Amino acid sequence: MDTTVVLTSTNPYGSRTLTIEADRTSSVAYLRDAKGIVHGAVWLANHVPAPAEADAGRAAAGLPPVMPEAHTAHPSGRPPLHAESLSVLWFEEGDGVALYENDALLAVIPAWADLERGMPGYARDAVGESPYAWPLGEALEGLSPRVAKARAYWQWRQADGSWATYQQFVLGHLDSRLGPPGRYWDVSGDRFPLVGVSERPPTFTRDYTVLSTVGMSCQRMPAAEMYDTACRVELALATRQDPRTAARLFAWLGQYPWRSVTWLGHGHTARWFQNPVTFPLDGGHQGVLMLMDPPGLPDMSGFTFGGDAVRWLWLLPLTESELRLVADHGHRAISERLAMTSRI
């Protein structure tokens, strides 16, 4: 029996796709990454009378699962789903999604859904926990605020002037911390999310330029909430080298969390993705270490957005041996003995 695709929706960052698939027997929603790998799934409905037991053979054949009668609110089945009655709401981070039928919440696949760990998404018509779906009604206390926040965020983000207003808030904060601005570059490459770089030339109190991203904190990072870490960040770099060349680091990392569905945080490292000789800063470096509030560099605290404190991660260039040292022993093995201003 052939499976048909009822609906497809890709998140604004191009990193996750929701696909509703169905045959005459049942419907299911899959959350896949850009390579097609399934990261979350949830049964949506049976369209025929439910069996007494699960049919493992359907899954093995790549067909939508059929929910056993004890775990569905409609053991006699319900009509098929139609694309015109369905709508999709992506979470701000792009790693989770809510599905509506006729404006009523039908299912949610949160970021933490993981079939391999026995954690499917939540479905309105599910009864009790099963490998195919958990009951949506029992989880609404926690999920409803997330869904409401997602709707409010995208309504704001799509409104005229929202980006310009946000930009001015961030630039104003940079003015207060780093002094007057210099040049500004867009490093988004016509892709979402929008990210720019603000240059802050040397002042009478410092002999180096500071570069900062503008735009990363406009959306929460995927998965950050699951690790109890800062969910909104910007990146910064102190340099005495050509700022235009150094800004390539932000074109590399500025959209990384949403493209790769992950988060950047204190103590993280990133290895340059091209030939090491093309690294934007001189000095034999092959990657960067990211640190919050490193000694000797400006204090960037005091900016909030969307109710969250925004933290600045300073990029510290590292050599190959230093990258290995951090990988083996953690960032403290190197950060405490690095003179920040000697690296720029």
Side-chain angles (χ1 to χ4, degrees):
M1 186 179 296
D2 292 336
T3 299
T4 60
V5 175
V6 178
L7 180 74
T8 298
S9 174
T10 300
N11 72 16
Y13 314 114
S15 55
R16 289 285 187 270
T17 297
L18 177 74
T19 305
I20 313 300
E21 298 181 7
D23 61 12
R24 295 179 181 177
T25 303
S26 63
S27 296
V28 64
Y30 294 108
L31 188 61
R32 295 180 169 94
D33 65 17
K35 297 180 180 179
I37 298 172
V38 175
H39 289 265
V42 62
W43 164 90
L44 298 174
N46 288 352
H47 308 308
V48 297
E53 303 292 338
D55 183 355
R58 283 182 61 87
L63 297 173
V66 178
M67 187 68 82
E69 60 181 344
H71 290 288
T72 172
H74 302 286
S76 297
R78 55 145 291 173
L81 302 172
H82 298 287
E84 58 269 21
S85 65
L86 301 175
S87 58
V88 175
L89 175 66
W90 287 97
F91 287 3
E92 177 181 347
E93 301 89 336
D95 57 359
V97 65
L99 177 66
Y100 288 82
E101 182 183 27
N102 296 320
D103 298 324
L105 194 58
L106 178 64
V108 175
I109 304 180
W112 56 88
D114 187 338
L115 291 182
E116 292 185 357
R117 297 169 57 194
M119 300 169 65
Y122 299 87
R124 181 186 64 195
D125 294 343
V127 175
E129 295 184 359
S130 79
Y132 305 136
W134 288 355
L136 179 61
E138 297 178 12
L140 283 179
E141 183 178 355
L143 290 175
S144 290
R146 287 298 313 275
V147 172
K149 278 187 174 181
R151 185 169 298 282
Y153 173 79
W154 291 115
Q155 287 176 344
W156 169 81
R157 189 68 183 83
Q158 294 162 4
D160 291 342
S162 61
W163 169 251
T165 300
Y166 161 83
Q167 259 185 322
Q168 291 308 307
F169 282 143
V170 181
L171 293 172
H173 178 73
L174 295 176
D175 290 346
S176 68
R177 294 297 182 180
L178 301 172
R183 292 164 291 186
Y184 183 92
W185 301 279
D186 180 272
V187 292
S188 303
D190 297 323
R191 301 184 303 172
F192 197 76
L194 301 178
V195 179
V197 177
S198 177
E199 176 192 38
R200 304 290 158 152
T203 67
F204 67 91
T205 60
R206 68 169 191 268
D207 63 351
Y208 53 86
T209 295
V210 174
L211 300 176
S212 171
T213 56
V214 176
M216 294 182 68
S217 62
C218 195
Q219 49 280 309
R220 294 162 59 98
M221 289 187 294
E225 64 177 347
M226 291 187 285
Y227 295 90
D228 193 28
T229 188
C231 60
R232 296 188 192 274
V233 301
E234 298 287 352
L235 302 179
L237 175 73
T239 184
R240 297 188 183 95
Q241 299 184 38
D242 184 348
R244 295 170 298 178
T245 302
R248 291 172 55 204
L249 292 175
F250 300 117
W252 166 41
L253 293 173
Q255 296 175 320
Y256 181 81
W258 300 274
R259 293 289 167 181
S260 300
V261 194
T262 188
W263 57 284
L264 301 177
H266 179 69
H268 286 191
T269 59
R271 184 180 296 275
W272 182 240
F273 69 106
Q274 295 178 335
N275 189 311
V277 300
T278 67
F279 190 82
L281 299 175
D282 296 335
H285 304 113
Q286 297 190 24
V288 295
L289 171 65
M290 306 173 206
L291 294 179
M292 291 181 183
D293 307 318
L297 291 175
D299 176 12
M300 301 295 286
S301 63
F303 183 67
T304 62
F305 184 72
D308 303 311
V310 176
R311 304 299 302 274
W312 263 258
L313 293 171
W314 290 84
L315 303 184
L316 179 68
L318 298 184
T319 64
E320 174 62 29
S321 61
E322 291 168 340
L323 284 167
R324 289 199 300 266
L325 181 62
V326 173
D328 292 339
H329 302 288
H331 69 91
R332 290 183 179 83
I334 192 170
S335 60
E336 293 178 357
R337 64 181 178 84
L338 288 174
M340 296 298 174
T341 54
S342 71
R343 290 299 177 114
I344 58 180

